[in-house]
Amino acid sequence: MSAVPSTPVPTGFEQAFRPRSVAVIGASDDPERISGRALHYLLRAGYRGAVHPVNHKRSTVQGLPAYPSLDAVPGVPDMALICLPSRLLKQAVTDCVAKGVGAAVIYAAGFAETGEEGQALQEELADIARRGNLRLFGPNCLGLLHAASGFVGTFSSAFDEAIPTGGSVAVVSQSGAYGGHLAYLCRRRNVDIGYWVSTGNEAGTDVAECIHWLALQDDVSVILAYAEGVRDAGRLRTALAVAHERRKPVVFMKVGSSDAGAAAAQSHTASLVGSDTVYDALFRQYGVHRARTTQEQVDLAYACSRGVLPAGRRLGVVTVSGGFGVQLCDAAERYGLEVAGLPEEARARLREINPMGSDDNPCDTTAGWLNDMSLITDTYRVMYAQGDYDSVIGSFTMLPDSPTYGEAIKEAIRKGTSDFMDRPTLLCMEARPEVVRSYEEAGFLVYDDSERAVAALDGLARLREGFDRPLPGPGAVAPRREVPDGPLSEAAARELLASAGVPFPGSRLVASAPAAAEAATAAGFPVVMKIVSPDIPHKTEIGGVLLGVADAEAAADAYTELTARAAAARPDARVEGVLVSRTAPSGVEVIVGVRRDPVFGPVVMFGTGGVRAELFRDVATRVGAVDRDEALRMIAETRGHALLTGFRGAPPADVDALADLLVTVSAFAVAHTDRIGTVELNPVVVGEAGQGVLALDALVVPHEEAA
């Protein structure tokens, strides 16, 4: 498999996050104004570097000496916080370049988000910064911070109540408001932020570059990311590859989904591989957890911040009530966690230490342990040492909040888990914030709801599984072939794809009824006959396919019927003739396709059920060319995979040949990404093991027509 691309580490980030000195251009003396808040935060956080307010109207700002211009500031600041309106920014950025500043933040809005004039100004600022080697954040962003050094270069109200003191969680967000909201919720969840950055309009720095740099930091344990769109697919893939190699969990909130627009009318592939599906595929390939809700993102950040991922999905459950055990087991089944039973030796030990409790997993300890806390300690030891569970969830209701029992319960669980801190121990409980904090400090993850606890554990398991999967390989390389201009008929699509190695049944294109009879006789009855037109991609919708044509006379009649149907339904269509094909052998029907995404390029799709794939949406997708191992993983991901492996006594299908087809089609699409928008083989018949595959229909839509 491929290694991480040899892309240089983004420059300027060290100066941005850990600056030795900061210039605040346009700094206000009023700490409540946007232009005064960042300076106020720097002073309040005890930033250890030099701070230089720039204000041509004042000699001091918030108690610090002020300078009339950036040029007057002593030395060369590493970072400039530009608190100026848009009309003054061109000069400010030019001054930063002239001074040799390493990085700068532009807070002001009024750029690309406002229209063409704002877009032009934004591009001009980006060009000045790029030519001057200035790392630019924004515009229209809320800045950034690095808690450990006390650098708080933001005006976000998320830090009004408390400024982070140096945790291991990093937040990178296109939206400053959402990033601030995440930081606020993390603090309420007892998760401390170490790095925080808002990228805004991304004129100079995007989310991908931030992820790349943050993944290289030893003091980062998890990266929370938020993006509405990505413009540079290569940078994002590199960043996620670096995070994967460094085993740094990325929990990504990607918003903004869309259908495939006009392309959906051309193929099933286009409707199945919309832009949102592409991100799902990309994140799966790189082991990224895609969060669907903010709560999920924060819950998983909280779990990841401990730096412990489960080795597998075997879950032990300890409760003080059977009802809570049932809840946890139900949730575990929904999230694919295995609540496996204990071996007999372990069950005997549970009966010995707690005769009144249950002797299996889940283990209901009942209330007797309140008289003897060692029962809880021993139960946890049995679960981990003899049950060999990858994690254990304990449900203790509100008992930990009890002044009578709370501290003793914590100590009992701590003793029982002290030898197993390499596995996550989760507790479902309700308690005062200070009690929850004490349990967390003892090494436990605390959730107030069973569903959320199990969902977080599933997220941890998914991240571990993602790290254990190799990064995407380079895939096969296909030679370039001549692609005709304009829409292709099925006959032309078959010819093109067959030259790339796609197998089809023998067929012949005919232009008369007598020729149809001759071709059918040569192929051997029964045959399949189809109308061939680049203007009729969905032949079945006009009755343009006839199956089981049994003899020469029927073949001649079928030709006449098919051409008549085409003329009636689409009188404007260009009809090339009728395709006569031998009937394919029986097998499992699947769909293989590729759609060109405007950002990420070719996205390969595999689905079971042929034409039913769109109905059931049982598909697996990958970005770019796939190698054989990745193709096999794609096939195994689908629910219909069982149909290929011998469902209910049927012989196993030729999965190896199907994987080879996926490799061939994806390589062909990548080689022609500038010319082809959609490739679809639907259905593909997969024969028994060793008998190969056959594509029964082919659709190729050039890039222009698929857009």
Side-chain angles (χ1 to χ4, degrees), residues 52 67-68 95 101 178 239 402 425 445 495 696:
H52 305 296
Y67 300 87
D95 291 345
V101 174
Y178 185 81
S402 164
T425 299
L445 297 170
E495 182 179 359
L696 304 190

Side-chain angles (χ1 to χ4, degrees), residues 188-545:
R188 291 184 58 184
R189 195 75 172 87
N190 297 334
V191 176
D192 207 5
I193 301 293
Y195 298 83
W196 184 92
V197 55
S198 157
T199 59
N201 287 13
E202 301 190 338
T205 302
D206 62 12
V207 164
E209 290 172 291
C210 293
I211 292 173
H212 185 161
W213 187 82
L214 290 167
L216 296 172
Q217 307 311 302
D218 292 337
D219 56 349
V220 170
S221 67
V222 56
I223 300 168
L224 304 186
Y226 171 94
E228 294 151 15
V230 172
R231 291 191 294 271
D232 192 316
R235 274 208 296 261
L236 181 60
R237 295 184 72 169
T238 295
L240 299 182
V242 171
H244 183 281
E245 184 183 61
R246 299 270 297 174
R247 300 183 77 84
K248 297 295 178 74
V250 177
V251 184
F252 212 121
M253 172 74 78
K254 169 63 183 69
V255 299
S257 60
S258 67
D259 60 26
Q266 294 288 333
S267 73
H268 298 284
T269 299
S271 63
L272 288 166
V273 189
S275 62
D276 206 48
T277 308
V278 175
Y279 282 98
D280 282 339
L282 181 79
F283 293 156
R284 175 181 287 276
Q285 285 172 266
Y286 288 91
V288 173
H289 183 95
R290 184 174 189 182
R292 298 294 180 176
T293 67
T294 303
Q295 182 182 76
E296 178 188 359
Q297 196 170 24
V298 174
D299 276 351
L300 194 49
Y302 168 77
C304 288
S305 66
R306 302 301 191 271
V308 177
L309 301 179
R313 289 181 167 268
R314 285 173 51 84
L315 173 64
V317 176
V318 177
T319 71
V320 296
S321 165
F324 287 102
V326 173
Q327 284 186 20
L328 285 165
C329 289
D330 288 349
E333 183 174 309
R334 285 192 291 274
Y335 286 97
L337 299 174
E338 182 187 3
V339 185
L342 285 163
E344 180 54 39
E345 182 181 353
R347 297 183 66 179
R349 175 59 180 152
L350 286 180
R351 290 193 294 269
E352 177 185 341
I353 63 177
N354 188 7
M356 301 301 293
S358 60
D359 65 348
D360 207 348
N361 184 34
C363 180
D364 175 12
T365 61
T366 71
W369 59 270
L370 292 174
N371 294 322
D372 182 2
M373 292 288 175
S374 68
L375 298 184
I376 290 295
T377 297
D378 291 340
T379 297
Y380 270 96
R381 285 175 178 160
V382 169
M383 284 289 184
Y384 274 133
Q386 295 180 260
D388 196 29
Y389 295 114
D390 301 305
S391 57
V392 174
I393 296 181
S395 181
F396 289 89
T397 68
M398 66 293 191
L399 285 169
D401 201 40
S402 164
T404 304
Y405 300 113
E407 191 65 27
I409 292 172
K410 180 180 70 178
E411 184 61 18
I413 300 173
R414 189 194 64 76
K415 288 180 179 179
T417 60
S418 60
D419 292 334
F420 308 97
M421 298 304 288
D422 59 336
R423 314 179 200 185
T425 299
L426 286 70
L427 302 178
C428 295
M429 54 181 262
E430 285 284 356
R432 290 159 290 160
E434 60 271 22
V435 174
V436 170
R437 172 71 82 173
S438 72
Y439 272 74
E440 291 170 340
E441 290 173 349
F444 309 123
L445 297 170
V446 179
Y447 291 84
D448 60 6
D449 178 78
S450 300
E451 188 81 10
R452 288 172 62 188
V454 175
L457 191 53
D458 169 54
L460 291 177
R462 286 177 182 272
L463 287 166
R464 175 62 178 263
E465 291 158 2
F467 289 141
D468 290 344
R469 284 195 302 270
L471 286 172
V477 177
R480 291 276 296 185
R481 301 180 186 279
E482 188 66 30
V483 178
D485 293 328
L488 278 67
S489 68
E490 182 187 350
R494 281 187 178 219
E495 182 179 359
L496 177 62
L497 293 171
S499 71
V502 175
F504 292 95
S507 62
R508 179 177 161 191
L509 180 64
V510 298
S512 69
E518 179 186 345
T521 302
F525 297 104
V527 297
V528 177
M529 297 179 64
K530 307 178 189 178
I531 197 71
V532 176
S533 169
D535 303 317
I536 307 176
H538 297 304
K539 295 174 283 294
T540 56
E541 294 178 359
I542 68 159
V545 179

